Amino acid sequence: MKNVVILTGAGISAESGLKTFRDSDGLWEGYNIQDVATPEAWEWNPTLVQDFYNMRRKSVLEAKPNAAHYALAKLEEKYKVTVITQNIDDLHERAGSKNVLHLHGIITRSQSSKNPNLTYPIDGWELKMGELCELGSQLRAHVVWFGEPVPMIDKAAQICSQADIFMLIGSSLAVYPAAGLLNFVPAYVQKYVIDPKIPSVYGIESMVRIEAKAAIGVPRLVEELLK
Ligand code: NAD
């Protein structure tokens, strides 16, 4: 079975109603990322950060996978598929993808603010101040903030190095180290990029360009690959 490796970003969930942030002037739902998605923000104003992620979690729970998420799950009928996602939503899993690596964590889980390896499921959308982990520290969203290490990056790089077919869907490739994963995909591999505004970054020139929204472009490509 051929190995398909797919790197997804916020764009694949756009048509599920979850906003990307580089499409809206570097703001994420109206917030400057420095104020809500950094360890400094958590130190300075934990309630604001907690509330921000509670709102994101609420939106994620209300959202539904779109045709692009479902098409990637269907690809498993003929290929060994690994989805590496920068997204913190769980729409790939809900569409049926079995092998999903979350580079930046997943918002439906909480994590200890002392030990990032301690994570827990969250019941509902709200994580409250005062809810503690087993070490007695405040629980926060299980997401990787700007300035924090990305523990899964080595595993993701290794997966990229073993791809037979590679797809990049809905990412501006502005966030490192995720953007560097392209460099681990061998040169001879067939590569596709699907995005209505394909980013002009190094490595894109060797890809087949599908200049379309994910919910249109992904099912079309998957149909070709399943033929
Ligand atoms: P980004 O916002 O930087 O870039 C979004 C990309 O998606 C752009 O290239 C844009 O042209 C493209 N796009 C917009 N609409 C699209 C559509 N309908 N179909 C396909 N592509 C479309 O996103 P990024 O590169 O993923 O980096 C943002 C970071 O923000 C990530 O680390 C992620 O964790 C976080 N984030 C996650 C979510 C989510 O989980 N759904 C949402 C917003 C931000």
Side-chain angles (χ1 to χ4, degrees):
M1 249 189 189
K2 279 192 176 173
N3 231 341
V4 183
V5 178
I6 303 151
L7 176 60
T8 66
I12 195 167
S13 298
E15 285 147 287
S16 294
L18 302 175
K19 286 199 185 117
T20 65
F21 62 68
R22 280 181 184 74
D23 288 318
S24 43
D25 297 334
L27 294 179
W28 192 357
E29 298 282 354
Y31 288 86
N32 184 325
I33 52 168
Q34 298 303 326
D35 297 338
V36 289
T38 60
E40 293 75 21
W42 177 246
E43 212 167 292
W44 182 249
N45 194 345
T47 305
L48 174 77
V49 174
Q50 195 78 291
D51 287 348
F52 173 77
Y53 284 101
N54 281 340
M55 286 304 119
R56 301 290 71 73
R57 189 175 303 108
K58 197 162 188 280
S59 310
V60 164
L61 293 176
E62 285 165 5
K64 292 192 175 70
N66 64 54
H69 298 103
Y70 285 115
L72 294 183
K74 195 165 166 26
L75 205 51
E76 294 182 16
E77 288 173 6
K78 192 170 160 191
Y79 297 91
K80 179 175 179 292
V81 179
T82 310
V83 178
I84 301 171
T85 188
Q86 298 169 77
N87 294 345
I88 57 176
D89 66 54
D90 61 350
L91 297 180
H92 284 299
E93 285 90 343
R94 278 199 265 148
S97 283
K98 294 200 182 63
N99 206 2
V100 185
L101 184 150
H102 280 268
L103 269 185
H104 297 157
I106 186 157
I107 199 168
T108 50
R109 293 183 76 80
S110 65
Q111 107 182 21
S112 159
S113 45
K114 249 192 205 141
N115 178 353
N117 296 320
L118 294 176
T119 74
Y120 311 88
I122 300 174
D123 193 15
W125 62 272
E126 195 180 15
L127 189 54
K128 295 197 178 78
M129 297 311 285
E131 284 188 62
L132 307 179
C133 75
E134 64 211 68
L135 302 176
S137 77
Q138 175 63 48
L139 286 172
R140 50 168 270 194
H142 175 45
V143 298
V144 174
W145 287 327
F146 290 90
E148 289 189 318
V150 180
M152 301 304 271
I153 196 70
D154 289 343
K155 188 170 180 206
Q158 200 218 349
I159 291 167
C160 287
S161 73
Q162 289 167 354
D164 297 310
I165 298 173
F166 179 82
M167 289 179 205
L168 170 69
I169 307 169
S171 174
S172 64
L173 288 184
V175 176
Y176 274 84
L181 287 173
L182 246 53
N183 303 325
F184 290 88
V185 184
Y188 56 81
V189 168
Q190 179 78 67
K191 305 181 190 79
Y192 302 89
V193 52
I194 301 155
D195 195 307
K197 261 192 262 160
I198 295 177
S200 33
V201 297
Y202 181 75
I204 289 278
E205 65 289 346
S206 65
M207 297 186 162
V208 175
R209 300 165 68 90
I210 301 173
E211 206 136 13
K213 289 186 173 181
I216 303 288
V218 178
R220 220 182 271 160
L221 174 59
V222 165
E223 203 178 306
E224 281 298 308
L225 293 173
L226 287 178
K227 267 185 191 162

Short mmCIF file of all heavy atoms in Angstrom, two decimals, residues 9-11 13-15 18-23 28 86-89 104 170-173 175 195-197 213-214, ligand 1:
data_model
loop_
_atom_site.label_atom_id
_atom_site.label_comp_id
_atom_site.label_asym_id
_atom_site.label_seq_id
_atom_site.Cartn_x
_atom_site.Cartn_y
_atom_site.Cartn_z
N GLY A 9 -3.71 22.59 7.54
CA GLY A 9 -3.71 23.79 8.36
C GLY A 9 -5.13 24.31 8.50
O GLY A 9 -6.10 23.67 8.04
N ALA A 10 -5.26 25.48 9.08
CA ALA A 10 -6.57 26.05 9.41
C ALA A 10 -7.52 26.10 8.21
O ALA A 10 -8.73 25.99 8.36
CB ALA A 10 -6.38 27.44 10.00
N GLY A 11 -6.97 26.24 6.99
CA GLY A 11 -7.80 26.36 5.78
C GLY A 11 -8.72 25.19 5.55
O GLY A 11 -9.82 25.36 5.00
N SER A 13 -10.42 23.63 7.65
CA SER A 13 -11.60 23.72 8.51
C SER A 13 -12.40 25.01 8.28
O SER A 13 -13.42 25.24 8.92
CB SER A 13 -11.19 23.63 9.99
OG SER A 13 -10.59 22.38 10.25
N ALA A 14 -11.92 25.84 7.33
CA ALA A 14 -12.58 27.12 7.09
C ALA A 14 -14.05 26.91 6.68
O ALA A 14 -14.95 27.61 7.17
CB ALA A 14 -11.84 27.91 6.01
N GLU A 15 -14.28 25.93 5.80
CA GLU A 15 -15.66 25.71 5.34
C GLU A 15 -16.53 24.98 6.36
O GLU A 15 -17.72 24.77 6.13
CB GLU A 15 -15.66 25.00 4.00
CG GLU A 15 -15.25 25.96 2.90
CD GLU A 15 -14.48 25.25 1.82
OE1 GLU A 15 -13.31 24.91 2.05
OE2 GLU A 15 -15.07 25.04 0.75
N LEU A 18 -14.82 27.38 10.98
CA LEU A 18 -13.76 27.76 11.92
C LEU A 18 -12.79 28.68 11.19
O LEU A 18 -12.22 28.30 10.17
CB LEU A 18 -13.03 26.52 12.45
CG LEU A 18 -13.94 25.50 13.16
CD1 LEU A 18 -13.14 24.25 13.54
CD2 LEU A 18 -14.59 26.11 14.39
N LYS A 19 -12.60 29.88 11.74
CA LYS A 19 -11.80 30.87 11.01
C LYS A 19 -10.31 30.55 11.04
O LYS A 19 -9.80 30.08 12.05
CB LYS A 19 -12.02 32.25 11.63
CG LYS A 19 -13.35 32.84 11.27
CD LYS A 19 -13.35 34.35 11.49
CE LYS A 19 -14.73 34.90 11.26
NZ LYS A 19 -15.32 35.52 12.44
N THR A 20 -9.63 30.84 9.94
CA THR A 20 -8.16 30.79 9.91
C THR A 20 -7.69 32.09 10.54
O THR A 20 -8.51 32.95 10.87
CB THR A 20 -7.65 30.74 8.45
OG1 THR A 20 -8.00 31.96 7.83
CG2 THR A 20 -8.27 29.58 7.68
N PHE A 21 -6.38 32.30 10.76
CA PHE A 21 -6.10 33.65 11.21
C PHE A 21 -5.34 34.52 10.26
O PHE A 21 -5.48 35.72 10.30
CB PHE A 21 -5.57 33.73 12.65
CG PHE A 21 -4.29 33.07 12.96
CD1 PHE A 21 -3.11 33.54 12.42
CD2 PHE A 21 -4.27 32.02 13.84
CE1 PHE A 21 -1.92 32.94 12.76
CE2 PHE A 21 -3.08 31.42 14.18
CZ PHE A 21 -1.91 31.87 13.64
N ARG A 22 -4.57 33.95 9.36
CA ARG A 22 -3.84 34.85 8.46
C ARG A 22 -4.73 35.47 7.39
O ARG A 22 -4.37 36.42 6.74
CB ARG A 22 -2.62 34.17 7.90
CG ARG A 22 -1.56 34.23 8.95
CD ARG A 22 -0.25 33.65 8.62
NE ARG A 22 0.57 33.73 9.81
CZ ARG A 22 0.45 32.95 10.88
NH1 ARG A 22 -0.46 32.02 10.91
NH2 ARG A 22 1.24 33.11 11.93
N ASP A 23 -5.93 34.91 7.25
CA ASP A 23 -6.87 35.52 6.31
C ASP A 23 -7.50 36.77 6.91
O ASP A 23 -8.14 37.55 6.24
CB ASP A 23 -8.00 34.53 5.96
CG ASP A 23 -7.47 33.43 5.07
OD1 ASP A 23 -6.69 33.73 4.15
OD2 ASP A 23 -7.81 32.26 5.31
N TRP A 28 -6.66 36.29 15.43
CA TRP A 28 -7.39 35.04 15.56
C TRP A 28 -8.68 35.36 16.29
O TRP A 28 -8.66 35.66 17.47
CB TRP A 28 -6.54 34.02 16.33
CG TRP A 28 -7.08 32.62 16.27
CD1 TRP A 28 -8.23 32.20 15.68
CD2 TRP A 28 -6.46 31.46 16.83
NE1 TRP A 28 -8.37 30.85 15.83
CE2 TRP A 28 -7.31 30.36 16.53
CE3 TRP A 28 -5.29 31.22 17.54
CZ2 TRP A 28 -7.02 29.06 16.93
CZ3 TRP A 28 -5.00 29.92 17.94
CH2 TRP A 28 -5.85 28.85 17.64
N GLN A 86 -1.96 20.84 11.80
CA GLN A 86 -1.60 21.94 12.70
C GLN A 86 -2.84 22.39 13.47
O GLN A 86 -2.75 23.23 14.35
CB GLN A 86 -1.06 23.12 11.89
CG GLN A 86 0.20 22.80 11.12
CD GLN A 86 0.54 23.90 10.13
OE1 GLN A 86 1.04 24.95 10.51
NE2 GLN A 86 0.26 23.67 8.87
N ASN A 87 -3.99 21.83 13.08
CA ASN A 87 -5.24 22.29 13.68
C ASN A 87 -5.45 21.71 15.07
O ASN A 87 -5.04 20.59 15.35
CB ASN A 87 -6.42 21.92 12.78
CG ASN A 87 -6.36 22.67 11.47
OD1 ASN A 87 -5.61 23.64 11.35
ND2 ASN A 87 -7.13 22.22 10.49
N ILE A 88 -6.14 22.48 15.87
CA ILE A 88 -6.43 22.02 17.23
C ILE A 88 -7.87 21.50 17.30
O ILE A 88 -8.32 21.10 18.36
CB ILE A 88 -6.18 23.14 18.26
CG1 ILE A 88 -7.00 24.39 17.94
CG2 ILE A 88 -4.70 23.48 18.31
CD1 ILE A 88 -6.88 25.50 18.98
N ASP A 89 -8.57 21.50 16.17
CA ASP A 89 -9.92 20.91 16.16
C ASP A 89 -9.81 19.41 15.93
O ASP A 89 -8.75 18.89 15.59
CB ASP A 89 -10.82 21.60 15.11
CG ASP A 89 -10.34 21.35 13.68
OD1 ASP A 89 -10.17 20.18 13.29
OD2 ASP A 89 -10.14 22.34 12.93
N HIS A 104 0.01 20.59 17.08
CA HIS A 104 -0.19 21.69 18.02
C HIS A 104 -1.22 21.38 19.09
O HIS A 104 -1.83 22.28 19.66
CB HIS A 104 -0.58 22.97 17.26
CG HIS A 104 0.48 23.45 16.32
ND1 HIS A 104 0.25 24.24 15.23
CD2 HIS A 104 1.82 23.23 16.34
CE1 HIS A 104 1.39 24.48 14.60
NE2 HIS A 104 2.35 23.88 15.25
N GLY A 170 -4.43 23.94 2.88
CA GLY A 170 -4.92 25.04 3.72
C GLY A 170 -3.97 25.52 4.79
O GLY A 170 -4.40 25.78 5.91
N SER A 171 -2.69 25.66 4.45
CA SER A 171 -1.76 26.23 5.43
C SER A 171 -0.92 27.31 4.78
O SER A 171 -0.41 27.13 3.67
CB SER A 171 -0.84 25.15 5.99
OG SER A 171 0.13 25.74 6.83
N SER A 172 -0.74 28.43 5.48
CA SER A 172 0.08 29.52 4.94
C SER A 172 1.57 29.20 5.08
O SER A 172 2.40 29.93 4.56
CB SER A 172 -0.23 30.81 5.69
OG SER A 172 0.17 30.67 7.04
N LEU A 173 1.89 28.13 5.80
CA LEU A 173 3.28 27.74 6.08
C LEU A 173 4.07 28.90 6.69
O LEU A 173 5.22 29.13 6.36
CB LEU A 173 3.97 27.22 4.81
CG LEU A 173 3.51 25.86 4.30
CD1 LEU A 173 4.35 25.43 3.11
CD2 LEU A 173 3.59 24.78 5.38
N VAL A 175 4.03 29.20 10.12
CA VAL A 175 4.32 28.80 11.50
C VAL A 175 5.40 27.71 11.50
O VAL A 175 5.23 26.67 10.88
CB VAL A 175 3.03 28.29 12.20
CG1 VAL A 175 3.33 27.79 13.61
CG2 VAL A 175 1.98 29.39 12.25
N ASP A 195 -5.20 25.02 -2.03
CA ASP A 195 -5.40 26.27 -1.28
C ASP A 195 -5.92 27.31 -2.27
O ASP A 195 -5.41 27.39 -3.40
CB ASP A 195 -4.03 26.72 -0.69
CG ASP A 195 -4.16 27.78 0.40
OD1 ASP A 195 -4.80 28.81 0.16
OD2 ASP A 195 -3.58 27.58 1.48
N PRO A 196 -6.93 28.11 -1.91
CA PRO A 196 -7.41 29.12 -2.85
C PRO A 196 -6.38 30.24 -3.07
O PRO A 196 -6.45 30.95 -4.06
CB PRO A 196 -8.68 29.67 -2.20
CG PRO A 196 -8.61 29.28 -0.77
CD PRO A 196 -7.73 28.07 -0.68
N LYS A 197 -5.45 30.39 -2.10
CA LYS A 197 -4.38 31.39 -2.24
C LYS A 197 -3.08 30.70 -1.90
O LYS A 197 -2.62 30.75 -0.75
CB LYS A 197 -4.61 32.55 -1.25
CG LYS A 197 -5.26 33.76 -1.86
CD LYS A 197 -5.17 34.95 -0.90
CE LYS A 197 -6.47 35.12 -0.13
NZ LYS A 197 -6.34 35.89 1.10
N LYS A 213 -10.76 25.98 -2.97
CA LYS A 213 -11.11 25.74 -1.58
C LYS A 213 -11.02 24.24 -1.31
O LYS A 213 -11.30 23.42 -2.20
CB LYS A 213 -12.52 26.24 -1.30
CG LYS A 213 -12.60 27.76 -1.31
CD LYS A 213 -13.98 28.22 -0.90
CE LYS A 213 -13.95 29.74 -0.74
NZ LYS A 213 -15.25 30.27 -0.33
N ALA A 214 -10.69 23.90 -0.07
CA ALA A 214 -10.47 22.49 0.28
C ALA A 214 -11.68 21.62 -0.02
O ALA A 214 -11.54 20.51 -0.55
CB ALA A 214 -10.08 22.38 1.75
P1 NAD B 1 -3.19 30.22 8.48
O1 NAD B 1 -4.38 30.92 9.02
O2 NAD B 1 -1.87 30.84 8.66
O3 NAD B 1 -3.38 30.03 6.89
C1 NAD B 1 -4.58 29.54 6.38
C2 NAD B 1 -4.37 29.05 4.96
O4 NAD B 1 -5.58 28.44 4.54
C3 NAD B 1 -4.06 30.17 3.96
O5 NAD B 1 -3.01 29.76 3.09
C4 NAD B 1 -5.39 30.34 3.20
O6 NAD B 1 -5.22 30.77 1.86
C5 NAD B 1 -5.93 28.94 3.27
N1 NAD B 1 -7.39 28.85 3.13
C6 NAD B 1 -8.36 29.75 3.47
N2 NAD B 1 -9.59 29.26 3.19
C7 NAD B 1 -9.39 28.02 2.68
C8 NAD B 1 -10.27 27.01 2.20
N3 NAD B 1 -11.60 27.17 2.19
N4 NAD B 1 -9.72 25.85 1.74
C9 NAD B 1 -8.37 25.66 1.73
N5 NAD B 1 -7.50 26.58 2.16
C10 NAD B 1 -8.00 27.75 2.63
O7 NAD B 1 -3.25 28.75 9.05
P2 NAD B 1 -2.06 27.72 9.42
O8 NAD B 1 -1.03 27.72 8.36
O9 NAD B 1 -2.75 26.45 9.79
O10 NAD B 1 -1.39 28.33 10.74
C11 NAD B 1 -2.22 28.79 11.74
C12 NAD B 1 -2.02 28.24 13.14
O11 NAD B 1 -3.24 28.60 13.81
C13 NAD B 1 -1.94 26.74 13.26
O12 NAD B 1 -0.85 26.46 14.03
C14 NAD B 1 -3.21 26.31 13.98
O13 NAD B 1 -2.90 25.58 15.17
C15 NAD B 1 -3.89 27.56 14.44
N6 NAD B 1 -5.35 27.62 14.06
C16 NAD B 1 -6.09 26.48 14.09
C17 NAD B 1 -7.43 26.49 13.72
C18 NAD B 1 -8.21 25.19 13.78
O14 NAD B 1 -7.84 24.30 14.54
N7 NAD B 1 -9.28 25.02 12.98
C19 NAD B 1 -8.01 27.70 13.29
C20 NAD B 1 -7.23 28.87 13.27
C21 NAD B 1 -5.89 28.80 13.66
#
